[in-house]
Amino acid sequence: MTTAVAQTTPRKVLADLLPASRVRDIALVAGGAALTGLAAQIAIPVPGSPVPVTGQTFAALLVGTALGAGRGLASLALYALLGLAGLPWFAGGSAGATASFGYILGMLLAATVVGALARRGADRSVVRMAGAMLLGEAIIYAIGVPYLAVVADLTTAQAVAAGLTPFLIGDALKAALAMGVLPAVWKLVERES
């Protein structure tokens, strides 16, 4: 008796539509880091919180989804390492291990997870994209909020009030934008094929 194992071929992510080369991958990783750094400059202070509202989380999840798990992780790792080395491209032009650095650590893992989900087709439909974005956001908060509590010497309730609650509506809007854009791009690509 033999057991048949279903072979599943990984799907392409958007970055795979470009001709494959090491130069392409390096450019995509550097570009993803730069996009995240630029998006972090859109920083709106939140009263009572050391963490501003930024475009950073949206960029990190978009980079992970568009580049895939490996390149998404590499891109966010490059972003984090250069920011730790002093490049002022964390939220609002900051650098180093700030109180919000835990969110950047969360973005590393979130970009990897949403990239892996995109490789399985999560970026092709609004419903699956919604799930991927929500999971990515949850990962960012699961790492960022406890880090904030430790670094800023906050209780869990204080960390949630300062580092989670004020951002939920904005993150829902960012997720909705990604849910509409990425599946639409795939529909356009498939139509052009």
Side-chain angles (χ1 to χ4, degrees), residues 110-163:
T112 306
V113 170
V114 298
L117 292 172
R119 184 81 55 204
R120 290 173 177 78
D123 58 344
R124 311 277 173 120
S125 80
V126 172
V127 173
R128 287 183 287 175
M129 194 68 216
M133 290 293 110
L134 291 174
L135 178 59
E137 291 288 351
I139 291 168
I140 293 168
Y141 287 122
I143 296 171
V145 173
Y147 183 97
L148 176 64
V150 170
V151 170
D153 195 30
L154 302 173
T155 66
T156 301
Q158 290 169 326
V160 167

Side-chain angles (χ1 to χ4, degrees), residues 12 17 124 185-193:
K12 290 183 177 186
L17 299 176
R124 311 277 173 120
V185 169
W186 274 113
K187 284 189 190 326
L188 181 65
V189 166
E190 291 165 356
R191 196 174 313 145
E192 297 293 320
S193 298

Side-chain angles (χ1 to χ4, degrees), residues 172-187:
L173 293 173
K174 292 178 219 175
L177 179 62
M179 291 179 324
V181 170
L182 291 166
V185 169
W186 274 113
K187 284 189 190 326

Side-chain angles (χ1 to χ4, degrees), residues 56-167:
Q56 188 178 25
T57 54
F58 176 71
L61 294 174
L62 186 64
V63 165
T65 305
L67 301 186
R71 289 180 297 233
L73 173 63
S75 189
L76 271 291
L78 177 63
Y79 170 69
L81 291 172
L82 290 174
L84 283 175
L87 185 63
W89 68 350
F90 289 162
S94 63
T98 63
S100 60
F101 188 71
Y103 297 93
I104 295 169
L105 294 174
M107 288 177 215
L108 284 160
L109 180 57
T112 306
V113 170
V114 298
L117 292 172
R119 184 81 55 204
R120 290 173 177 78
D123 58 344
R124 311 277 173 120
S125 80
V126 172
V127 173
R128 287 183 287 175
M129 194 68 216
M133 290 293 110
L134 291 174
L135 178 59
E137 291 288 351
I139 291 168
I140 293 168
Y141 287 122
I143 296 171
V145 173
Y147 183 97
L148 176 64
V150 170
V151 170
D153 195 30
L154 302 173
T155 66
T156 301
Q158 290 169 326
V160 167
L164 171 67
T165 308
F167 305 98

